[in-house]
């Protein structure tokens, strides 16, 4: 690898000194006090607030920065995207292809100038990663507000209108006609004087916004009829050409001179279509072996009431993650503005995904909503909490980003509207939302439980002088003024205060927080900042990534130690779909009869052909289940926190384990004797379902999932749902036609030839895709084998005829997934549905 090159070198971003010191102190605290930090706070009722340090490295979001590939005049950025550096004499600056979230942090971290030219690839949304790959907001903000430059976005003509719609929504907020103040506010407790005037409030925050529009920050260049774009130097001379090749789906960067030298060829990368060769797959496995399980693991104990921090910085910090966290109530979690990659963070922290039951979206800026949309598309359908105005803005924005209609998007999650002035209940806690003082609609909230409370300011400016000026000049009404002044998080009425202090004027000035009384600052954690932005000796502190703040609701000093552990096991058991709700007495009996075990990395948790005498819940670490003696590296399944095994023994006590389960990292388990947990399995349909799993394992159907590029990544819950939906095995002979109408087909044994010839289809509507005008249906002619899944997903979802034909090229055994069951499975797993649109074949190494 060569050194990273850039037209204009700047010093690489250094780790934040304040953050480093804080991390050192955290390590010292963790060493001296176990996971619990040495410092404690006092809640409103005198309860202690414990700061619990995670054993997980706070550098999770830096791992992807380790390897930076460069090739001549190219820089392949760690988060995705490629920078092309034209010759310096051309006078044209660096050109970046692809714009994943937080991409400017890569340039800043690497010490190269953030580009001003950005090429949006053919599809803006990457379905495999569930990420917006055209996140131009922060490149535009950084160039305009920090560097006083305007970015140039290069895209296909049909994308410009979508980009304009997105940026109008996020820069200026929704127009007045798209705001729904009557639906956002409870009419029983508020009147129209509580309704914000969002555009007007934005003008008071920042007067220059009156003259801002999309073209102030962005210049568009679209590909012409020849699929070309020319870039000029400062003198207006055309120096660089970018040409899009529709057939190879690649972008060619050329110098405009007598030689027309080609500088780079950039492929459009749809990750859901990429093929992994054997060498690449082997390299990936070796890298995973080196990195996997190197750290000690610990089971996560969710607080009865508290917060786990997933990020506490902002969109311009190269060393930190955007602000986001989990609010815990009685062992159940609700995520707030989860940062991109938050699912990986949960895995690192050993937080079972089943315990997360919803997401709160505060507003539609990319550093808050990019990870939110990603989380929505991961595994099961979840609840989304926000106001109607913000929800509609979110739908419009992500319909433009993804290319999907708003009606389609609403099928991917459950919208739970919240109202200002009306509490929203979550497991006995009351969430009270309010509109903060920001440039676009944004909600903060307070949460109360059993006399304790916490508050999150969200993005806001808490300067009361500006609020009073707006009120005096009639820009806001009485209740709106009272809400911003009398309900301000800075009043100190809560056990925990999470307050932002970003870049003024659209965020709270740091000096305002510095000047607060000590009694308030002691309860405050500052977010949306880097550690170095907090003045030393100010009495303020940043919320440290991966800390958990536990408001000690159990009054441990009066002998209730251990009740939280019982509560957590109860919550974990209730999240497992094969059990009904178990009473507290039943949970206590289970806990008293069970054992917690820790397995070192590389040790055998369960050997093949041995009796299964325990129902095992994995509480931390990663374990791999493999076929005994298999050296291919293929997994039967992966266990992470919240997964379980041993369910077949609940219906057949004589069963023996079929596979080897090995600790890939240090693994913690909670193991319940079969005789203790078996009486709680009472539902006959569940018992029949588990018996079906046993049969599927014996037939090799379960292990066949590991032979599929997409299905091998299923969680255990997804595997069980998928297999439970399959019909009984069907057999076909060589030469038989396999019907694919309105169903899916999973190959258990044998080989099938698959053909799709788009030229034979007369009606183009029958070959319509979700990929936009510049995409075309591919010709398919391939032979597939065990583990392949065949289905014309578009035809199934729209109940249309498929033009895919299949013929057995050997004796074949397969299982069908009927249309109704497939649609239900995809709706339950929205990320998979988005990922599989336009597909016909899923094999071990490729998706067609």
């Amino acid at each position: 690898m060569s050194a990273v090159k850039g037209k204009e070198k700047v010093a690489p971003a250094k780790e934040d000194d304040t953050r480093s010191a804080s991390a050192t102190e955290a390590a010292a605290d963790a060493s001296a006090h176990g996971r619990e930090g040495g410092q404690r706070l006092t809640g409103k009722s005198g309860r202690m607030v414990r700061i619990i340090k995670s054993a997980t490295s706070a550098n999770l979001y830096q791992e992807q920065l380790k390897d930076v590939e460069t090739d001549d005049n190219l820089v392949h950025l760690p988060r995705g995207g490629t920078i092309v550096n034209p010759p310096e004499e051309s006078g044209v600056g660096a050109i970046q292809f692809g714009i994943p979230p937080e991409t400017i942090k890569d340039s800043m971290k690497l010490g190269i100038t953030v580009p001003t030219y950005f090429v949006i690839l053919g599809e803006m949304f990457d379905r495999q990663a569930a990420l917006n790959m055209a996140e131009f907001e922060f490149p535009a903000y950084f160039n305009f507000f920090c560097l006083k430059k305007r970015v140039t976005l290069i895209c296909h003509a049909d994308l410009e209108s979508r980009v304009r719609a997105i940026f109008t929504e996020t820069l200026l907020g929704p127009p007045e006609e798209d705001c729904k103040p009557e639906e956002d506010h409870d009419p029983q407790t508020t009147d129209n004087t509580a309704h914000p005037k969002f555009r007007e409030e934005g003008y008071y925050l920042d007067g220059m916004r009156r003259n801002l529009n999309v073209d102030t920050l962005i210049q568009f260049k679209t590909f012409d009829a020849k699929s070309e774009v020319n870039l000029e130097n400062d003198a207006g001379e055309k120096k660089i050409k970018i040409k899009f090749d529709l057939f190879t789906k690649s972008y060619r960067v050329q110098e405009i001179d007598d030689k027309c030298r080609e500088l780079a060829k950039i492929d459009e990368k749809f990750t859901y279509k990429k093929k992994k060769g054997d060498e690449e797959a082997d390299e990936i496995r070796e890298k995973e072996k080196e990195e996997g399980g190197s750290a000690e693991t610990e089971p996560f104990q969710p607080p009865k009431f508290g917060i786990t921090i997933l990020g506490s910085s902002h969109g311009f910090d190269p060393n930190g993650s955007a602000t986001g966290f989990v609010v815990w109530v009685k062992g159940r979690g609700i995520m707030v503005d989860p940062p991109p990659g938050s699912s990986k963070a949960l895995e690192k922290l050993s937080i079972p995904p089943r315990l997360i039951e919803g997401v709160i979206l505060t507003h539609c800026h990319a550093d808050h909503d990019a990870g939110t949309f990603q989380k929505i598309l991961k595994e099961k359908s979840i609840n989304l909490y926000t106001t109607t105005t913000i929800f509609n803005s979110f739908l419009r924005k992500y319909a433009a980003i993804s290319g999907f209609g708003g009606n389609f998007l609403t099928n991917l999650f459950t919208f739970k509207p919240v109202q200002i002035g009306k509490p929203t209940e979550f497991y006995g806690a009351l969430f009270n939302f309010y509109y903060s003082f920001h440039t676009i609609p944004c909600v903060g909230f307070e949460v109360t439980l059993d006399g304790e409370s916490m508050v999150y300011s969200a993005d806001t400016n808490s300067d009361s002088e500006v609020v009073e000026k707006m009120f005096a000049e009639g820009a806001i009404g009485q209740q709106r003024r009272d809400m911003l002044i009398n309900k301000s998080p800075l009043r100190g009425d809560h056990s925990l205060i999470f307050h932002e202090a970003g870049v003024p004027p659209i965020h709270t000035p740091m000096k305002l927080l510095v000047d607060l009384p000590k009694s308030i600052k002691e309860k405050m954690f500052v977010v949306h900042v880097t550690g170095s932005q907090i003045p030393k000796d100010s009495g303020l502190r940043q919320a440290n990534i991966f800390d958990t703040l536990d408001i000690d609701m159990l009054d441990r000093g009066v002998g209730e130690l251990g009740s939280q552990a019982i509560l957590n096991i109860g919550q974990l058991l209730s999240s497992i779909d094969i059990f009904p709700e178990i009473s507290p007495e039943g949970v206590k009996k289970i806990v008293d009869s069970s054992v917690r075990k820790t397995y070192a990395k590389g040790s055998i948790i369960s050997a093949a052909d041995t009796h299964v005498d325990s129902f095992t819940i994995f509480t931390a670490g990663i374990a791999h289940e493999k076929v005994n003696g298999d050296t291919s590296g293929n997994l039967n399944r992966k266990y992470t926190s919240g997964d379980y095994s041993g369910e077949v023994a609940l219906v057949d006590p004589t069963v023996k384990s079929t596979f080897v389960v090995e600790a890939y990292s240090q693994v913690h388990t909670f193991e319940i004797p079969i005789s203790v947990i078996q009486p709680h399995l009472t539902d006959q349909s569940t018992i029949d379902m588990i018996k079906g799993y046993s049969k599927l394992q014996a037939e090799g159907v379960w292990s066949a999932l590991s032979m599929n590029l997409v299905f091998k990544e299923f969680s255990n819950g997804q595997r069980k749902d998928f297999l439970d939906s399959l019909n009984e095995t069907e057999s076909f002979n060589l030469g038989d036609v396999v019907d694919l109408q309105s169903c899916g087909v999973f190959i258990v044994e044998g080989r099938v030839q698959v053909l799709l010839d788009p030229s034979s289809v007369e009606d183009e509507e029958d070959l319509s895709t979700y990929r936009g005008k510049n995409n075309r249906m591919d010709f398919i002619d391939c032979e597939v084998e065990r583990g392949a899944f065949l289905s014309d997903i578009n035809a199934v979802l729209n109940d249309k005829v498929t033009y895919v034909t299949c013929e057995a090229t050997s004796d074949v055994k397969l299982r069908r997934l009927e249309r109704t069951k497939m649609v239900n499975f995809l709706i339950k797993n929205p990320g998979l549905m988005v990922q599989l649109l336009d597909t016909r074949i899923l094999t071990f190494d490729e998706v067609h």
Side-chain angles (χ1 to χ4, degrees):
M1 297 290 178
S2 60
V4 175
K5 298 191 298 183
K7 281 301 187 63
E8 181 183 339
K9 289 279 190 173
V10 296
K14 295 181 179 179
E15 296 293 336
D16 191 299
D17 293 338
T18 306
R19 186 192 317 282
S20 299
S22 177
T24 303
E25 292 165 6
D29 280 345
S31 176
H33 301 277
R35 289 185 68 232
E36 183 176 326
Q39 185 177 13
R40 288 188 175 217
L41 313 174
T42 303
K44 288 174 63 176
S45 60
R47 295 185 174 102
M48 303 306 293
V49 179
R50 302 181 302 144
I51 304 175
I52 303 172
K53 304 295 180 183
S54 169
T56 300
S57 166
N59 290 324
L60 171 66
Y61 295 97
Q62 304 303 316
E63 288 180 3
Q64 58 192 329
L65 299 174
K66 290 178 181 177
D67 299 317
V68 179
E69 298 181 10
T70 67
D71 181 15
D72 296 330
N73 59 339
L74 301 181
V75 179
H76 301 288
L77 299 173
R79 285 178 174 86
T82 299
I83 292 178
V84 177
N85 289 305
E88 192 168 351
E89 58 270 18
S90 71
V92 176
I95 309 164
Q96 181 170 326
F97 291 79
I99 326 171
E102 301 192 314
T103 187
I104 63 171
K105 296 183 178 183
D106 284 352
S107 296
M108 296 166 71
K109 184 74 176 176
L110 297 171
I112 58 179
T113 303
V114 174
T116 56
Y117 293 105
F118 292 89
V119 180
I120 297 178
L121 303 182
E123 185 170 4
M124 299 168 69
F125 185 70
D126 185 323
R127 304 184 205 172
Q128 185 81 10
L131 277 178
N132 174 17
M133 299 303 284
E135 200 293 275
F136 48 80
E137 291 177 45
F138 273 77
Y141 295 151
F142 183 80
N143 273 287
F144 183 78
F145 292 108
C146 298
L147 304 180
K148 311 304 180 187
K149 298 178 181 178
R150 185 167 67 151
V151 302
T152 298
L153 284 186
I154 301 164
C155 62
H156 298 287
D158 63 314
L159 291 183
E160 181 178 344
S161 60
R162 287 167 58 182
V163 171
R164 287 184 176 276
I166 295 164
F167 206 49
T168 300
E169 201 77 44
T170 188
L171 176 66
L172 303 175
E176 186 175 351
E177 61 268 22
D178 287 328
C179 296
K180 307 294 181 183
E182 294 81 9
E183 296 179 42
D184 294 344
H185 293 76
D186 179 16
Q188 302 298 318
T189 58
T190 63
D191 57 37
N192 60 8
T193 67
H195 299 172
K197 299 175 182 178
F198 298 112
R199 289 281 176 96
E200 192 69 21
E201 290 183 15
Y203 298 154
Y204 270 86
L205 275 176
D206 183 11
M208 71 176 294
R209 300 182 67 82
R210 293 180 183 273
N211 301 313
L212 283 184
N213 57 45
V214 175
D215 295 296
T216 310
L217 281 75
I218 297 175
Q219 172 185 232
F220 288 92
K221 281 186 174 290
T222 57
F223 289 95
D224 60 20
K226 296 181 180 180
S227 296
E228 296 177 355
V229 164
N230 295 317
L231 303 182
E232 302 87 10
N233 60 16
D234 291 340
E237 301 169 323
K238 296 178 181 179
K239 290 293 185 179
I240 298 295
K241 177 188 293 183
I242 303 174
K243 182 175 179 61
F244 176 68
D245 187 329
L246 176 62
F247 293 98
T248 62
K249 295 205 173 179
S250 62
Y251 297 82
R252 297 178 182 273
V253 185
Q254 300 172 337
E255 288 186 281
I256 301 177
D257 55 19
D258 295 338
K259 296 181 180 179
C260 293
R261 181 168 67 98
E262 185 169 293
L263 302 175
K265 177 186 174 185
I266 308 295
D267 293 328
E268 269 191 345
K269 297 176 182 177
F270 300 112
T271 58
Y272 60 87
K273 264 194 92 178
K274 70 182 178 184
K275 184 174 181 177
K276 294 180 180 178
D278 292 337
E279 287 186 11
E280 182 184 353
D282 289 341
E283 289 176 5
I284 291 171
R285 278 195 288 266
E286 286 304 315
K287 186 174 181 181
E288 288 176 347
K289 285 179 182 179
E290 292 172 6
E291 295 178 354
S294 58
E296 294 286 302
T297 62
E298 266 186 88
F300 182 82
Q301 299 296 339
K304 183 177 180 183
F305 188 34
I307 290 172
T308 296
I309 302 155
L310 302 178
S312 59
S313 193
H314 55 74
F316 296 154
D317 176 14
N319 297 314
S321 176
T323 296
F325 51 92
V326 181
V327 177
W328 296 104
V329 177
K330 297 182 179 178
R332 294 287 183 165
I334 185 166
M335 300 180 84
V336 180
D337 294 347
S342 59
S343 293
K344 188 68 175 177
L346 295 184
E347 182 178 301
K348 289 276 187 178
L349 291 168
S350 298
I351 296 176
R354 289 191 186 92
L355 298 184
I356 305 297
E357 299 203 354
V359 172
I360 293 172
L361 172 64
T362 64
H363 64 296
C364 292
H365 279 155
D367 54 335
H368 295 264
D369 66 23
T372 297
F373 195 67
Q374 183 186 45
K375 185 60 184 175
I376 284 171
L377 297 181
K378 291 296 183 182
E379 200 176 335
K380 66 177 183 178
S381 180
I382 64 170
N383 298 323
L384 179 67
Y385 296 85
T386 194
T387 64
T388 299
T389 294
I390 296 174
F391 172 71
N392 288 337
S393 180
F394 178 72
L395 276 188
R396 289 191 296 270
K397 179 177 179 179
Y398 276 87
I401 288 170
S402 66
F404 301 135
N407 290 336
F408 175 82
L409 294 180
T410 57
N411 291 322
L412 304 180
F413 54 89
T414 301
F415 172 44
K416 297 284 188 179
V418 303
Q419 285 188 312
I420 313 301
K422 183 178 181 179
T424 298
E425 185 176 357
F426 183 79
Y427 283 90
L430 296 180
F431 284 70
N432 286 282
F433 292 85
Y434 63 91
Y435 272 120
S436 67
F437 183 21
H438 199 38
T439 54
I440 65 172
C442 177
V443 287
F445 58 87
E446 61 181 22
V447 191
T448 59
L449 178 68
D450 297 344
E452 296 289 348
S453 64
M454 61 81 60
V455 64
Y456 175 49
S457 71
D459 282 12
T460 192
N461 187 321
S462 292
D463 190 340
S464 59
E465 291 185 6
V466 181
V467 175
E468 294 290 17
K469 181 182 179 183
M470 287 194 299
F471 177 63
E473 296 179 3
I476 60 173
Q478 182 70 54
Q479 285 194 352
R480 177 65 173 151
R481 178 263 175 203
D482 293 345
M483 193 171 296
L484 291 174
I485 298 293
N486 298 335
K487 291 290 187 180
S488 169
L490 299 183
R491 291 177 60 85
D493 298 332
H494 303 279
S495 309
L496 286 177
I497 303 170
F498 267 55
H499 205 290
E500 68 96 68
V503 178
I506 67 172
H507 297 281
T508 300
M510 181 66 70
K511 187 177 186 306
L512 197 65
L513 304 185
V514 171
D515 291 342
L516 289 170
K518 180 181 177 183
S519 59
I520 294 178
K521 290 191 285 189
E522 285 177 342
K523 298 186 290 184
M524 180 177 290
F525 292 83
V526 184
V527 296
H528 215 275
V529 294
T530 65
S532 60
Q533 290 175 284
I534 300 176
K536 292 183 178 179
D537 302 321
S538 65
L540 297 173
R541 63 189 148 194
Q542 185 183 20
N544 288 317
I545 190 169
F546 298 155
D547 279 3
T548 292
L549 307 178
D550 179 2
I551 301 175
D552 198 344
M553 306 296 286
L554 296 180
D555 296 324
R556 296 170 188 269
V558 293
E560 288 192 284
L561 182 64
S563 59
Q564 181 64 49
I566 294 174
L567 174 65
N568 290 341
I569 292 296
Q571 292 287 13
L572 200 53
L573 285 170
S574 67
S575 72
I576 294 174
D577 47 11
I578 65 174
F579 297 118
E581 193 74 27
I582 301 176
S583 68
E585 295 78 15
V587 173
K588 187 176 186 309
K589 182 180 178 181
I590 290 171
V591 171
D592 290 342
S593 305
S594 306
V595 295
R596 293 175 174 82
K597 292 185 179 180
T598 301
Y599 295 89
K601 178 183 177 182
S603 61
I604 300 300
I605 298 173
S606 174
D609 199 33
T610 58
H611 284 287
V612 180
D613 53 13
S614 294
F615 181 82
T616 299
I617 301 175
F618 293 82
T619 57
I622 300 173
H624 287 173
E625 180 179 272
K626 298 178 287 189
V627 175
N628 191 30
D630 185 357
T631 59
S632 67
N634 293 324
L635 301 181
N636 194 50
R637 58 179 146 176
K638 180 176 79 171
Y639 294 102
T640 59
S641 182
D643 288 333
Y644 59 89
S645 68
E647 66 274 19
V648 176
L650 297 175
V651 298
D652 181 6
T654 65
V655 71
K656 291 186 177 182
S657 58
T658 309
F659 307 101
V660 175
V661 180
E662 181 181 347
Y664 184 63
S665 68
Q666 185 186 75
V667 171
H668 296 258
T669 63
F670 182 75
E671 301 184 11
I672 310 169
I674 294 296
S675 59
V676 172
I677 193 67
Q678 197 278 335
H680 295 282
L681 183 62
T682 56
D683 181 68
Q684 187 58 48
S685 63
T686 302
I687 292 172
D688 293 341
M689 181 178 66
I690 294 173
K691 288 180 178 178
Y693 297 154
S694 180
K695 182 179 179 182
L696 290 168
Q697 289 199 14
E699 292 182 8
V701 181
W702 183 284
S703 59
L705 289 177
S706 65
M707 304 299 293
N708 188 289
L709 180 65
V710 175
F711 292 173
K712 71 179 181 181
E713 300 299 328
F714 276 179
S715 69
N716 284 333
Q718 287 174 309
R719 281 173 173 258
K720 290 180 170 67
D721 286 346
F722 178 78
L723 293 175
D724 188 46
S725 301
L726 295 176
N727 290 351
E728 291 295 318
T729 299
E730 299 178 39
S731 297
F732 290 79
N733 298 321
L734 173 66
D736 288 347
V737 173
V738 178
D739 181 20
L740 210 61
Q741 295 296 338
S742 299
C743 71
V745 168
F746 185 61
I747 307 298
V748 181
E749 290 181 15
R751 298 184 303 278
V752 174
Q753 188 73 25
V754 186
L755 177 67
L756 171 64
D757 183 0
S759 65
S760 66
V761 181
E762 296 182 3
D763 189 350
E764 289 188 2
E765 284 292 315
D766 290 336
L767 288 178
S768 62
T769 76
Y770 292 84
R771 301 187 203 157
K773 296 178 182 178
N774 292 309
N775 292 279
R776 57 190 172 82
M777 189 60 62
D778 295 322
F779 181 88
I780 298 174
D781 184 5
C782 66
E783 187 178 56
V784 300
E785 52 189 21
R786 183 172 186 253
F789 184 70
L790 313 177
S791 181
D792 187 335
I793 300 294
N794 295 11
V796 169
L797 289 175
N798 296 301
D799 201 13
K800 288 188 173 183
V801 172
T802 179
Y803 294 89
V804 178
T805 59
C806 303
E807 179 182 321
T809 53
S810 73
D811 290 343
V812 172
K813 289 186 178 180
L814 57 83
R815 284 182 175 245
R816 292 186 187 274
L817 182 59
E818 295 175 353
R819 179 179 182 272
T820 301
K821 290 183 177 180
M822 185 187 298
V823 171
N824 289 338
F825 179 71
L826 292 175
I827 289 174
K828 189 176 180 180
N829 298 276
L832 183 67
M833 176 162 59
V834 169
Q835 185 176 327
L836 296 188
L837 291 174
D838 302 330
T839 64
R840 271 76 181 167
I841 306 172
L842 314 180
T843 69
F844 174 69
D845 58 6
E846 194 165 10
V847 179
H848 292 280

